Amino acid sequence: MGRIAVIGAGMGAMAAAARLAAAGHRVVVYERAATYGGAVGRFERDGFAFDTGPGLLPLPAVYRDLFVKTGKQPLEECVELVQVDPSSRHVFADGTEVSLPNASRAGVVTALDEALGAGTGGRWGDFLVRAREAWDRSRRPLLEEPLWPNWSVLAQREPYPSVPHKKLLRTRRASTLAEVAAWELRDPRLTALLESHALAYGLDPRVTPASAAVLPYMEHAFGTWYVRGGIRELARAVYERCLARRVEFRFGASVERIVEKDGRAAGVELADGTVEEADFLVAGVAPGVLDSLVPGTAIRGDGEVSPRRGAPSRLTVLLALRGGRPEGAAHRTVVHAPDREDELGRLFGERPGLPAAPTVMVSRPEDTALVPDGEHEAVTLTVTVPSGLPVSESEVERVLGVAQRALPGLRDRLLWREVRTPADIAEATGADGGAVPAPALAAADGHLLHPSNGTRMPGLFAAGGWAHPGGGLPHAGMSGALVAGLIVEGPEFRGSQ
């Protein structure tokens, strides 16, 4: 039985801790904050409760596997999973709207044809078929296996089977998500629908590889799920599973340095000077934090994937509203920006800022656990913004103005609001500027791959959204599985079969 020190209590780190403890190791988690969950936070006031991180769970199979492998109680006995239907409602710039059913290709095709015009559903349905091929080609190396030593193959290989497109007497194939939209979908509303999946992860569709087609495909194929009581309940369940496997948590314990002995990670030094020895270390922290724990040592070597810097962040506005949730309201509504070029220029250009009318995701859970009674509603607005962006009162007002398209009478119903900025995310996670990691994607010269779970320092491993396979709840959970496999089985581990 080995001694494992885990730095941070985020979802990836806790997933690794539970699996390692189930394998017989003694695991201690050191978390500088007062609670677990990392970016999966919670805000409560006056009987209202809000998730301050992700609000929905794609690909729940990752956490089902975690609970199967670490105990007798399956995930569904620890949390209540609800399939959201419709999966999403979209309000486009021209005033048209569409509600997309959950996990039904035929239903989505019909809904799009009826709302946007004949032929639009067929084009989106054909795109989903190609997206499935991209998923089948990339799922295992990008989600279920440790990062290949020859990762440059993934960087160069585009798994999305683009349709040939003739332009200026030349036949070309889409290499970016924007080109997929322009050449294969051919409708500005379908473009907005597709690109919203990239924007939600802070990805610029103009340069994001076509392989990002897997993002909408995951929701379509595996459904969109909500955890009753909020996603924070999933974090609670993983934390309690860790406790059941006798993982020890030390909250308020700031790790100041990784102790090295004979060129190998040998323990952690805490803020009070205490040194805790360990046979293996798992770091579930942002890249800058990890670098600070091993000053003077290059964690990543030449030729390895480097941590992505300068990723966008999120602005979240929590709304406490008088009046109950209307019957039949969609759980998730995306209000699309009227000026795509302005939005992309502000998010990814040289003069970062909040667009005049950004894309806003409106989350309205049907959940009595989040409100004081049936005469109130808890709503969350989420906007992708540049990392480090200071947010002014007038900018929050602009977001509320956009949200009114999905929430008529919003200002008359508003009791109070709470704003969570990139600075709040930076404080909670340690990520520079409050940056939020995106999932790993193939192609694009490896720009959207994440560093491997192993490091140049023997005995030190990385889990969570800033390590392979990247950001997002399922990806964080899988990073924990990969780290546990590498520690238990050694470098020959090749992922679950």
Side-chain angles (χ1 to χ4, degrees):
M1 181 177 74
R3 298 166 299 178
I4 313 287
V6 178
I7 306 170
M11 297 299 284
M14 288 198 297
R19 289 176 180 272
L20 288 165
H25 294 282
R26 177 180 177 270
V27 183
V28 180
V29 178
Y30 301 90
E31 170 56 58
R32 66 184 179 93
T35 187
Y36 54 85
V40 182
R42 186 85 155 180
F43 179 81
E44 297 181 358
R45 174 182 164 186
D46 300 339
F48 292 88
F50 304 85
D51 284 320
T52 58
L56 292 170
L57 176 64
L59 204 59
V62 171
Y63 287 91
R64 290 190 178 113
D65 181 73
L66 170 64
F67 278 73
V68 166
K69 299 291 177 55
T70 60
K72 296 180 179 179
Q73 276 188 304
L75 176 64
E76 280 80 355
E77 289 186 14
C78 301
V79 297
E80 182 183 354
L81 290 177
V82 181
Q83 197 164 22
V84 175
D85 203 8
S87 173
S88 58
R89 170 180 169 234
H90 294 264
V91 179
F92 298 105
D94 65 355
T96 54
E97 300 183 13
V98 64
S99 292
L100 302 179
N102 202 339
S104 169
R105 180 177 179 274
V108 167
V109 168
T110 298
L112 288 172
D113 276 341
E114 291 178 351
L116 308 186
T120 54
R123 291 197 296 276
W124 184 261
D126 291 343
F127 159 74
L128 288 177
V129 171
R130 294 188 292 274
R132 175 179 180 175
E133 188 169 340
W135 169 259
D136 289 341
R137 292 175 177 177
S138 62
R139 172 184 59 86
R140 188 156 182 81
L142 286 179
L143 194 64
E144 298 177 351
E145 295 181 348
L147 187 66
W148 294 351
N150 59 336
W151 59 267
S152 60
V153 174
L154 297 175
Q156 298 160 5
R157 181 182 298 165
E158 173 55 73
Y160 179 78
S162 301
V163 175
H165 170 75
K166 288 188 176 180
K167 185 176 182 180
L168 299 177
L169 303 179
R170 295 176 58 193
T171 299
R172 301 179 61 186
R173 292 180 180 271
S175 61
T176 68
L177 208 61
E179 290 175 342
V180 170
W183 300 348
E184 300 178 14
L185 299 180
R186 305 189 306 280
D187 185 292
R189 296 161 299 183
L190 293 183
T191 295
L193 173 59
L194 174 60
E195 293 185 348
S196 66
H197 289 273
L199 289 175
Y201 286 106
L203 299 173
D204 182 350
R206 298 169 301 183
V207 297
T208 297
S211 63
V214 301
L215 300 178
Y217 175 76
M218 284 173 59
E219 287 194 4
H220 162 74
F222 306 110
T224 303
W225 299 80
Y226 174 69
V227 179
R228 185 72 67 190
I231 292 294
R232 179 67 179 176
E233 282 297 289
L234 178 64
R236 173 200 54 78
V238 175
Y239 169 67
E240 291 181 353
R241 177 53 53 91
C242 286
L243 294 179
R245 302 306 311 197
R246 298 185 180 180
V247 174
E248 180 182 349
F249 285 81
R250 299 186 188 176
F251 296 110
S254 178
V255 173
E256 298 297 308
R257 184 173 66 91
I258 290 175
V259 177
E260 181 182 358
K261 183 178 180 181
D262 298 328
R264 179 183 176 84
V268 295
E269 181 180 335
L270 306 180
D272 63 3
T274 302
V275 173
E276 302 280 354
E277 295 182 350
D279 299 298
F280 296 95
L281 270 64
V282 178
V285 297
V289 177
L290 181 57
D291 292 342
S292 71
L293 297 179
V294 281
T297 301
I299 295 300
R300 308 293 173 188
D302 294 339
E304 294 184 38
V305 176
S306 299
R308 184 182 178 215
R309 308 288 183 174
S313 184
R314 295 191 184 111
L315 167 65
T316 305
V317 184
L318 314 176
L319 305 176
L321 303 182
R322 61 171 62 88
R325 181 181 186 272
E327 185 175 355
H331 184 116
R332 174 178 57 174
T333 298
V334 180
V335 183
H336 295 274
D339 189 334
R340 172 183 179 270
E341 292 306 316
D342 175 65
E343 178 167 52
L344 298 183
R346 291 282 185 172
L347 286 177
F348 308 106
E350 295 181 356
R351 300 178 62 185
L354 189 72
T359 296
V360 177
M361 190 184 79
V362 181
S363 178
R364 309 178 74 179
E366 185 179 8
D367 193 340
T368 57
L370 305 183
V371 291
D373 53 51
E375 298 304 313
H376 294 87
E377 184 178 9
V379 174
T380 301
L381 311 179
T382 306
V383 182
T384 298
V385 298
S387 57
L389 180 73
V391 179
S392 68
E393 181 71 14
S394 63
E395 289 172 322
V396 174
E397 286 296 320
R398 291 197 336 240
V399 172
L400 292 177
V402 173
Q404 285 188 119
R405 297 184 63 197
L407 292 162
L410 166 60
R411 296 187 187 279
D412 292 334
R413 298 180 60 198
L414 184 61
L415 292 171
W416 51 262
R417 71 187 189 212
E418 177 75 14
V419 179
R420 316 294 285 184
T421 68
D424 295 313
I425 296 176
E427 175 64 25
T429 67
D432 186 28
V436 177
L441 294 172
D445 295 325
H447 179 63
L448 289 172
L449 295 176
H450 289 260
S452 62
N453 305 106
T455 70
R456 290 188 68 189
M457 179 180 287
L460 173 62
F461 296 84
W466 293 104
H468 179 74
L473 280 171
H475 297 73
M478 187 53 69
S479 78
L482 295 175
V483 166
L486 289 167
I487 290 176
V488 172
E489 299 187 25
E492 67 277 4
F493 175 69
R494 290 297 176 265
S496 57
Q497 301 298 320

